Amino acid sequence: MTPRQSSRSTMAPSAVPAMRALILAALLMPLAASPALADRAAVKRGQKVVDEWCRDCHVREGEKLTADMAPPYSVIVGIEGRDRAWFEAFLEDDHFPMTTFRLFDHEKADVVEWLLDLQRRQK
């Protein structure tokens, strides 16, 4: 019997799938805790908040801006100096009529992530 054969014979065949699952879990665990994945989740949540609460007042891409509509997000994120700190401060202040909808702090944070993602995609 070779050393390879002898080491294999010590593991029960039923243990092999469990061992593979443990190894796979160990390899994937860092990905689950990855900031990039957390950011993607925040971006998706932010888009959901924007779709639910903000889209009625912000003109959509390709539509004409009218006096009663807010500018499209692409214009908002494209203005020089609009960074995380600016968006966070903006969402903390009252901007009538925006205050009709009050967002929770976690929703504001997610919207900021969505805006920053949109900004990165435009560059």
Side-chain angles (χ1 to χ4, degrees):
M1 193 181 292
T2 67
R4 182 176 174 103
Q5 290 173 327
S6 64
S7 67
R8 208 174 240 223
S9 64
T10 60
M11 186 179 291
S14 62
V16 173
M19 183 60 75
R20 284 184 182 153
L22 283 172
I23 292 169
L24 182 60
L27 292 172
L28 293 177
M29 196 173 302
L31 293 176
S34 166
L37 290 178
D39 291 347
R40 293 297 332 147
V43 168
K44 285 185 176 189
R45 289 189 309 267
Q47 182 174 6
K48 189 174 179 179
V49 171
V50 167
D51 288 343
E52 183 175 350
W53 297 107
C54 309
R55 294 274 188 199
D56 288 341
C57 296
H58 284 269
V59 70
R60 285 159 177 74
E61 292 300 323
E63 293 180 353
K64 185 177 176 163
L65 182 62
T66 61
D68 62 337
M69 295 294 289
Y73 302 105
S74 61
V75 170
I76 293 168
V77 301
I79 296 172
E80 190 68 32
R82 302 267 168 107
D83 58 6
R84 177 179 301 281
W86 192 93
F87 290 126
E88 288 172 348
F90 182 85
L91 290 173
E92 285 300 317
D93 293 337
D94 289 338
H95 299 92
F96 296 102
M98 276 183 54
T99 55
T100 305
F101 301 113
R102 299 264 183 199
L103 300 178
F104 292 107
D105 288 342
H106 68 276
E107 291 173 318
K108 291 176 189 177
D110 291 341
V111 169
V112 169
E113 293 302 325
W114 181 80
L115 290 167
L116 292 171
D117 181 69
L118 176 62
Q119 191 176 61
R120 280 188 292 273
R121 287 185 282 128
Q122 283 188 183
K123 290 186 178 184

